[in-house]
Structure formats: structure tokens, C-alpha cells
Amino acid sequence: MIDNNQLLRFTTAGSVDDGKSTLIGRLLYDSKSIFEDQLQAITNTSKKKGHDGVDLAMFTDGLRDEREQGITIDVAYRYFTTPKRKFIIADTPGHIQYTRNMVTGASTANVATILIDARHGVIEQTKRHAFIASLLHIPHIIVCINKMDLVDFSEAVYNKIVTEFEEIASKLLVTDVRFIPMSALLGDNVVNKSENMPWYQGAPMLHTLETMHIGSDINKIDTRFPVQTVLRPQREGFIDYRGYAGRLASGILRKGDEVTVLPSGFTSKIKSINLNDKEFDEVYAPMSVSVTLEDDIDVSRGDMIVRSNNKPSSSQDLEVMLCWLNDSSSKPRAKYSIRHTTNEQTAMIKEVIYKYDINTLDRISGDSEIKMNDICKVRIRTTKPLMVDTYRENRATGSVILVDNATNETVAAGMIV
């Protein structure tokens, strides 16, 4: 049974003019997820531009520059709900100079939808997007082979692209890949099954998204509870209450569990777990709760409560796959704030091990300057140990961001390897 409240986040990626914005527009339009006034405004704009029908791409291309150039620049988020699920769509740009935007939009996604123009097949951009999806360990990929109407809905064209993409996927860490032939413009296999492609036996895109199993995407094994704040309500009935509030990053917490508080290493047992005014015997990620411990231990923001028999590694030296987000390059031996769950320390990039050439996926050694949109593997040293897992095992405790102390800008996002 699918939990009605289960939220699925998916990101769209594809080359310029592959029809990402049109696909999302079609998804929203055919699933009746657009308000009447929005629809009216876009219908009027489409008429002014001389289009025959509604220009579906306008539902997502919110920036004026995007509409004028007919491209997507920023990450546009759209929310919609069907009777089976809630969805958040991150419409990310396809251009190489917006790699950072794609990384930002895809970092929390359960599913990456990669669009391919049926006329052009697998191109450099496709390889790049597949690489970033695998780098970010997005658990599921849907390859949307779009514009099938322009190749006469040919099964042979579809099969050829499937074979090409499977060859790329075999070299990447991608386990669940599904292929859907479609025409976003005409609505084939987006919400409704296509009558033009009887040879395709699979489900249309919306049904695939609604029924995809995402329950195991969150790590349920490693219990990690980063403490966000300490609750000391000085009111009647709570005089001695000392609770630790935060969001359970992964795993399951039960009343009576033996836990260790890191970095101090003190152990105790879970006395109670509260959410609003209710008490729970068991909670699971990603719930936000408050817990109390049986012993008085000094616990503060940035500490992590974990099961005593399952601890993360504690280290000051981290190997991180970094995507540089800032306009200005990295400075040699500069100090940055590193933010990991609720913990914040000072850090320094000690060494650039190698950079990726995103087009060829080759590794480049000996280049230590990190520029905007670069993806590279680096060694980082922190002032105090961080309690970390690898990003592959745990996306919540395996990710970090670097912040420039002078400007407070986020300069890089990283995955611990």
C-alpha cells in the first residue's frame, strides 16, 4: 500500500529544447493541477505570442529571461498532488554553465527524469546528466524519450536509444532505470497511455511516479539524530524537562534504546519521545521530534545521538566530492565554515585530488584551482571531528556545505566519499 502522505521529489534534466518545461506543463495540465486563473493567464500570453494552443512550457518558465529566450535558467519548483501521492518537481536547467543549479535541484530528489530528444538520441548533455544523477546517488532514474511524434513513433528509434543509454548506465552507480517513450507536446504516455505507440507495454509517466517504491530510499538502519536545540520550558508540569529537539536524519528511534551522545561518547537510554503534545514509543526518519534521556548528560546543538552499537565515523580529515557553486574560485588554504547536519566547524581545503571533465568524464590531475560548476574530489581538514557516514550509505549525514565567512555565501556542496 502506498502511504497517501508520501512525498516524492523528482528532478528533470535534459539538453536545451528537449522539452523539460513542456513535459512538466503537460503533467500539470493533464492531471488537472493548475488553477483556473493561471491557466487563463497563460492561455492569453500564448495567444499574444501567436501560438495555436496553450504553451505548456510557460507553466514552469517563471523568469522573464526564460520566457524570452525559451530556455530554463534557474531551478523552478512546482508542487502538485494526486489522490495517490504528493510531488515536488525541480525543473533544472540543461546548459553546462548551470551545472550547479542541477546539483542543487537534484540533491534531495528520489527520482531523476532525464529527457532525450528522440531525433538526436544520447548526446554529451545526456551523459553529463546521468553522471550527476549517479554522483548524487539518486535512487531511481526515468529516461523520458521525448518528441516521439517527430520520428513517427518508431519502436526502432526507441530501442536504439535504450541500448545507448544502458551502455552509459552500466558504467555508473545506477540501479533502477526505466524508459518511457513519449510526446510531451501531444500528451502521449505522460498522464494518459499513448494510442500511437501500442508496442510500448509499460505505464505512462504519472502512473510510474505514483507507484514507484521510495520507502527504502531513506536509510532505516543507521540511527542518526543530530540535535538542533535543547528545550527547557520553564512552565508548570515541565519544570525538570530537558528535551533535545531535531530531525531524525536516518534510522528508527525507540523508547528504551541504548544510545551514545557524540562527540562526548556518554551513553544513556531514551526516556521519552515527543512530537507536539503526543508521546511515541517509536519514530522514524525524517520525523522531527524531541527526545529525553534517562541520565543528565551535557548535550548541545551540533551533537548527535546514535545507537551505541552503530556509530558513524568521527573524523577531522574528509575526502569529499565537491561541486563549486560560487562565481569566485576557491582560494588556496582559505578557511570556510563547514556545515554538516546541525554541526558547524571551520574547515580548509587541503588538497584537490582530481577534477572531473564533465563532458568526457575524464579525471584531471594537477589542477588545484576550483572554479564555478567544477566537480572535484578534495581533502578537507576541520577544526573538530565531524560525525559522518559516506554519502552513498546516508545522504543526510554524508553531505556538507562550505560557507564563505566574509560574505555568508554558500560556495560549495559536498558528498563525503
Side-chain angles (χ1 to χ4, degrees):
M1 190 182 86
I2 290 178
D3 175 6
N4 190 32
N5 294 322
Q6 205 175 28
L7 173 69
L8 182 140
R9 296 167 182 267
F10 70 96
T11 176
T12 60
S15 186
V16 185
D17 290 335
D18 278 350
K20 296 187 301 296
S21 300
T22 306
L23 171 62
I24 293 170
R26 173 60 70 191
L27 200 57
L28 298 173
Y29 186 71
D30 282 4
S31 63
K32 314 262 188 297
S33 302
I34 292 163
F35 294 119
E36 283 292 327
D37 57 340
Q38 268 182 312
L39 188 57
Q40 195 55 54
I42 284 166
T43 308
N44 294 343
T45 313
S46 301
K47 271 187 194 156
K48 276 182 201 163
K49 286 189 156 192
H51 297 304
D52 292 338
V54 178
D55 183 358
L56 297 165
M58 288 190 185
F59 291 126
T60 54
D61 283 348
L63 301 176
R64 186 181 292 167
D65 286 0
E66 296 178 322
R67 288 187 182 174
E68 284 173 0
Q69 295 178 51
I71 60 167
T72 301
I73 295 171
D74 202 2
V75 182
Y77 292 97
R78 288 290 172 270
Y79 308 86
F80 76 104
T81 305
T82 68
K84 292 186 180 165
R85 248 188 197 151
K86 294 174 181 163
F87 297 93
I88 297 179
I89 313 168
D91 182 19
T92 63
H95 298 60
I96 187 160
Q97 68 263 43
Y98 303 123
T99 299
R100 59 179 182 170
N101 304 51
M102 185 187 164
V103 169
T104 311
S107 59
T108 55
N110 304 91
V111 183
T113 52
I114 297 178
L115 266 80
I116 296 177
D117 187 324
R119 297 167 302 172
H120 305 146
V122 173
I123 56 171
E124 288 290 341
Q125 298 269 54
T126 316
K127 293 177 187 172
R128 194 159 54 82
H129 294 140
F131 168 69
I132 292 173
S134 85
L135 188 71
L136 292 166
H137 294 287
I138 298 176
H140 315 276
I141 290 179
I142 299 176
V143 181
C144 302
I145 300 171
N146 191 25
K147 305 197 180 183
M148 288 297 290
D149 52 312
L150 301 180
V151 293
D152 299 323
F153 301 104
S154 160
E155 186 180 1
V157 170
Y158 167 76
N159 289 336
K160 180 172 176 277
I161 293 171
V162 168
T163 308
E164 282 176 12
F165 192 90
E166 280 176 340
E167 197 180 314
I168 300 167
S170 65
K171 297 173 191 166
L172 301 170
L173 300 164
V174 183
T175 46
D176 180 20
V177 184
R178 304 168 194 217
F179 298 90
I180 303 175
M182 61 171 63
S183 165
L185 192 65
L186 304 179
D188 291 76
N189 282 338
V190 180
V191 172
N192 306 310
K193 199 156 172 51
S194 169
E195 290 174 7
N196 294 310
M197 292 178 274
W199 46 264
Y200 172 69
Q201 298 301 307
M205 182 177 175
L206 183 62
H207 184 265
T208 306
L209 290 168
E210 283 180 333
T211 54
M212 187 173 270
H213 176 68
I214 57 167
S216 55
D217 291 356
I218 289 179
N219 180 328
K220 295 282 197 312
I221 298 162
D222 306 314
T223 300
R224 307 284 185 258
F225 184 69
V227 176
Q228 210 163 33
T229 186
V230 180
L231 302 177
R232 294 296 311 272
Q234 298 298 317
R235 59 191 168 101
E236 206 176 323
F238 292 94
I239 298 301
D240 293 327
Y241 183 88
R242 185 183 178 86
Y244 308 109
R247 185 182 192 186
L248 189 57
S250 60
I252 297 167
L253 261 187
R254 296 183 182 91
K255 200 170 164 177
D257 274 353
E258 184 172 304
V259 293
T260 300
V261 178
L262 297 174
S264 67
F266 287 115
T267 57
S268 183
K269 283 189 174 169
I270 299 282
K271 185 176 174 186
S272 69
I273 305 171
N274 298 85
L275 174 56
N276 299 328
D277 291 335
K278 292 187 185 136
E279 196 168 312
F280 288 81
D281 289 335
E282 180 181 282
V283 290
Y284 49 88
M287 292 170 75
S288 295
V289 294
S290 159
V291 303
T292 62
L293 302 177
E294 287 183 358
D295 304 280
D296 268 344
I297 298 175
D298 181 18
V299 182
S300 56
R301 177 181 168 86
D303 289 357
M304 194 181 280
I305 296 173
V306 300
R307 287 247 181 88
S308 297
N309 60 356
N310 177 346
K311 296 175 187 168
S313 58
S314 175
S315 178
Q316 282 179 265
D317 291 293
L318 307 171
E319 282 198 3
V320 178
M321 198 62 79
L322 212 61
C323 175
W324 200 258
L325 310 173
N326 202 260
D327 298 332
S328 46
S329 308
S330 65
K331 303 175 194 79
R333 305 192 80 76
K335 290 187 170 65
Y336 297 99
S337 276
I338 187 166
R339 292 183 189 172
H340 171 261
T341 64
T342 57
N343 198 344
E344 189 170 336
Q345 303 291 346
T346 302
M348 180 175 75
I349 300 170
K350 274 176 65 180
E351 183 191 350
V352 177
I353 303 168
Y354 59 77
K355 285 164 77 166
Y356 272 111
D357 179 328
I358 298 218
N359 289 323
T360 60
L361 306 189
D362 291 336
R363 295 176 179 185
I364 306 161
S365 302
D367 182 358
S368 60
E369 189 190 10
I370 314 173
K371 299 191 280 293
M372 186 168 82
N373 293 319
D374 278 351
I375 291 179
C376 52
K377 189 176 180 182
V378 299
R379 282 199 182 90
I380 288 177
R381 172 94 187 179
T382 61
T383 46
K384 286 182 184 169
L386 296 177
M387 289 71 75
V388 298
D389 298 287
T390 64
Y391 187 82
R392 187 190 295 184
E393 289 169 358
N394 197 331
R395 283 168 92 182
T397 53
S399 53
V400 294
I401 60 169
L402 295 184
V403 177
D404 186 319
N405 291 328
T407 61
N408 211 28
E409 289 178 335
T410 302
V411 294
M415 294 148 281
I416 296 161
V417 290

